[in-house]
Amino acid sequence: MVTRNFEAVVIGAGPGGYVAAIRLAQLGKKVALVEKESLGGVCLNWGCIPSKALIAAANLVEDVRGAAERGILADAPRVDVARLREFKNGVVKKLVGGVGQLEKGNGVEVIKGTARFVSPTAIEVTGAEAGGGEPLRVEAPAFVLATGARSIEIPGFAFDGKEVWSAREAVDLPELPKRLVVVGGGVIGLELGTVYAKLGSEVTFLEALPQILTGIDAEAVRLVQKGLRQRKATVHVNAKARGFEKKGKELVVKFEVDGAAQSVACDRILVAVGMKPVTDGLGLEAAGVKVGPKGFVEVDAQYRTSAPSVFAIGDLSGPPLLAHKASKEGEIAAEAIAGKKSARDWVAMPAAIFSDPEVAAVGLSEEQARAAGHEPMVGKFAFAALGRAIARDQTEGFVKVVGDKKTGLLLGVTICGPEASDLIAEAALALEMGAYVEDVALTVHAHPTLPEAFMEACKAALGEAIHALNRPERPARADRKT
Ligand code: NAD
């Protein structure tokens, strides 16, 4: 068996692992990056990136459909599924190629194959390109585990890639089913279900909990549901999917609402009920790496596991399951391996949901602020009152800011509306820099732009909004006399 030696080895080339490898190389380490599939992991190949390519294309379809209202006359758009898939594949190819070039340019050696620990400082890599049939032994004083997460499969809905899709198949756009049932009203279900609804499928969402997008601002969720209704999609909440039956070519999905059996017929089923960490086959016992009760690898603030030579980052090390969190953790772990004092210490971890309208949040919500002992002050500004939003004909949504009434510090921001996923960056920066609500209110924002809504919401929290009426605080509805 051939043995290779490195100063650090990263396992898994998603946005956690490939970033860790680059950072390690920048810090002077001789690094290998082991990946069994394609560079970029789920994010670049089957998740964030391809879904955004589809979302952008689906938005274009809707823009063309609604263009006549703004005096642009175009024929009714038709969707060429094969061409759209080609476009999406091109986007993925470009980015995956870019990662390959970055790794090469930084001197990272990419090893294609499947890794398994044989000791805390050695792995065996199997696979065609690893060691010519024989496993390759790779030794290093430090390893970064970044194997990510995979879709959870539930009883009655075994993924077959044909009739029952996981996100991976759905994002590949194998076809445009006439009727699609989406099991799970979480982030993936909403993002991909909305794409199919916009492209022309009749979509039904089944969500087991009392609301879709659990944990997200209730007002934002109401707007997302309104958007789904406008696209002829149906949402069932408190609806537990139990299985499906084939009746000819039709699939009949059975679900239960408050104990009552119901069913819905469709042509394809997308199951998006969460992700679980990928730890099987890694030989974690041989490395001495402990896994917590929910299957995530236990780590400290530098992402070191119970084995001092092994670090774990990204989806593998616990929620939230976000690509940008994985990348940040990759940088921290790499720096820790290089002897730096880096550790998890962020204030702000933004999250963005590419529903329609988009929803993005960072920091504390009003309830979370209250639970954390703050007396919250809240300011809100509706896009319906913002010049740029009106000019874009995208007025649905709002920016809501939460501050601490006593200190005036900004605690959190929720944005629902056009480009919320981009707009949240300013809020994340403000939180990370310890801004006061007043700092944002006093910052001059270019006009006419969408970020003005953040400034106005901060002004509103201070009772100084210019483009909305500032009302004195009203007691909660139940306590009002009028
Ligand atoms: P999720 O946890 O966001 O949502 C899954 C939903 O399925 C939940 O609401 C749950 O109640 C529901 N569910 C579970 N079992 C069910 C059943 N039998 N019948 C009906 N509903 C059922 O999970 P997801 O959407 O699969 O996403 C996985 C992870 O990936 C999440 O952590 C998410 O944050 C992350 N992700 C993030 C983004 C983003 O940030 N834009 C995009 C995609 C995925």
Side-chain angles (χ1 to χ4, degrees):
M1 186 189 295
V2 179
T3 300
R4 303 276 315 274
N5 283 280
F6 292 88
E7 288 171 312
V9 174
V10 181
I11 303 171
Y18 87 69
V19 168
I22 290 173
R23 189 75 189 111
L24 280 160
Q26 282 176 348
L27 293 166
K29 296 285 177 191
K30 184 183 174 209
V31 192
L33 175 60
V34 185
E35 170 59 58
K36 63 181 165 59
E37 291 191 78
S38 181
L39 292 180
V42 171
C43 174
L44 262 68
N45 293 281
W46 308 286
C48 326
I49 295 299
S51 65
K52 264 68 272 168
L54 295 183
I55 287 169
N59 288 345
L60 182 59
V61 173
E62 285 213 330
D63 282 349
V64 177
R65 276 192 200 122
E69 278 169 35
R70 285 184 266 170
I72 309 297
L73 305 181
D75 290 337
R78 285 168 297 129
V79 180
D80 180 337
V81 174
R83 284 274 288 277
L84 178 49
R85 193 183 315 117
E86 238 171 68
F87 164 71
K88 180 268 298 176
N89 289 344
V91 169
V92 169
K93 198 171 163 205
K94 192 174 275 179
L95 280 161
V96 169
V99 171
Q101 280 169 7
L102 282 172
E103 300 300 343
K104 199 171 168 199
N106 277 288
V108 174
E109 186 167 333
V110 175
I111 299 175
K112 198 99 199 258
T114 304
R116 188 175 58 84
F117 279 100
V118 289
S119 85
T121 51
I123 54 172
E124 277 180 15
V125 183
T126 47
E129 291 170 44
E134 280 241 323
L136 173 72
R137 185 179 165 92
V138 180
E139 295 178 357
F143 285 84
V144 180
L145 269 174
T147 50
R150 70 163 72 96
S151 300
I152 292 175
E153 210 164 4
I154 50 171
F157 294 96
F159 294 128
D160 64 7
K162 292 192 177 99
E163 289 169 338
V164 184
W165 298 344
S166 68
R168 194 164 170 153
E169 285 84 39
V171 103
D172 202 36
L173 198 71
E175 62 190 296
L176 210 51
K178 190 167 173 298
R179 296 162 303 174
L180 175 71
V181 164
V182 179
V183 179
V187 182
I188 294 183
L190 258 291
E191 290 189 1
L192 294 179
T194 304
V195 165
Y196 278 86
K198 287 179 177 177
L199 294 179
S201 299
E202 232 173 78
V203 183
T204 304
F205 294 88
L206 303 180
E207 167 54 51
L209 295 176
Q211 77 158 53
I212 56 167
L213 298 176
T214 298
I216 300 297
D217 181 279
E219 205 177 342
V221 171
R222 271 198 295 280
L223 292 180
V224 171
Q225 271 191 286
K226 183 178 163 195
L228 292 173
R229 273 197 307 276
Q230 285 167 344
R231 294 172 179 97
K232 310 269 184 282
T234 309
V235 177
H236 295 280
V237 292
N238 295 315
K240 290 190 183 63
R242 293 297 185 205
F244 74 97
E245 256 177 21
K246 271 176 88 163
K247 285 195 178 160
K249 280 193 170 173
E250 200 167 72
L251 312 175
V252 180
V253 179
K254 300 188 167 159
F255 60 102
E256 229 174 81
V257 180
D258 302 326
Q262 297 194 27
S263 64
V264 56
C266 66
D267 307 294
R268 294 290 178 261
I269 304 165
L270 162 61
V271 181
V273 294
M275 310 268 277
K276 60 176 182 192
V278 177
T279 50
D280 46 329
L282 277 174
L284 294 185
E285 317 72 41
V289 172
K290 270 199 208 141
V291 170
K294 291 190 171 163
F296 295 106
V297 173
E298 290 176 348
V299 291
D300 66 11
Q302 288 195 309
Y303 298 93
R304 198 184 295 268
T305 68
S306 50
S309 56
V310 183
F311 292 70
I313 58 165
D315 292 355
L316 194 62
S317 68
L321 275 54
L322 297 168
H324 46 277
K325 170 181 157 284
S327 298
K328 184 70 193 165
E329 292 174 345
E331 291 176 34
I332 294 170
E335 288 167 11
I337 289 168
K340 292 186 177 285
K341 288 189 176 150
S342 310
R344 172 177 47 211
D345 68 345
W346 58 72
V347 178
M349 181 55 66
I353 304 173
F354 298 79
S355 46
D356 198 338
E358 290 185 356
V359 184
V362 64
L364 303 181
S365 66
E366 190 179 348
E367 299 78 57
Q368 287 168 335
R370 203 165 274 121
H374 298 279
E375 189 189 341
M377 65 172 176
V378 177
K380 204 176 126 188
F381 191 80
F383 283 111
L386 193 76
R388 183 66 187 276
I390 296 169
R392 290 167 58 119
D393 197 21
Q394 284 182 308
T395 52
E396 198 79 274
F398 59 86
V399 176
K400 194 188 272 184
V401 305
V402 180
D404 180 273
K405 201 162 194 171
K406 280 198 202 95
T407 61
L409 275 170
L410 182 67
L411 299 174
V413 180
T414 299
I415 306 178
C416 174
E419 318 294 356
S421 54
D422 286 331
L423 295 176
I424 204 68
E426 185 189 2
L429 179 67
L431 278 173
E432 200 60 60
M433 299 193 72
Y436 291 87
V437 172
E438 193 183 24
D439 290 328
V440 182
L442 289 175
T443 301
V444 179
H445 284 64
H447 178 73
T449 60
L450 295 174
E452 285 177 286
F454 181 29
M455 172 187 72
E456 288 275 11
C458 288
K459 284 179 187 282
L462 302 169
E464 297 170 2
I466 298 295
H467 295 91
L469 296 178
N470 296 289
R471 297 180 198 280
E473 268 186 57
R474 305 188 76 195
R477 187 164 286 276
D479 309 332
R480 274 189 224 150
K481 300 237 163 30
T482 54

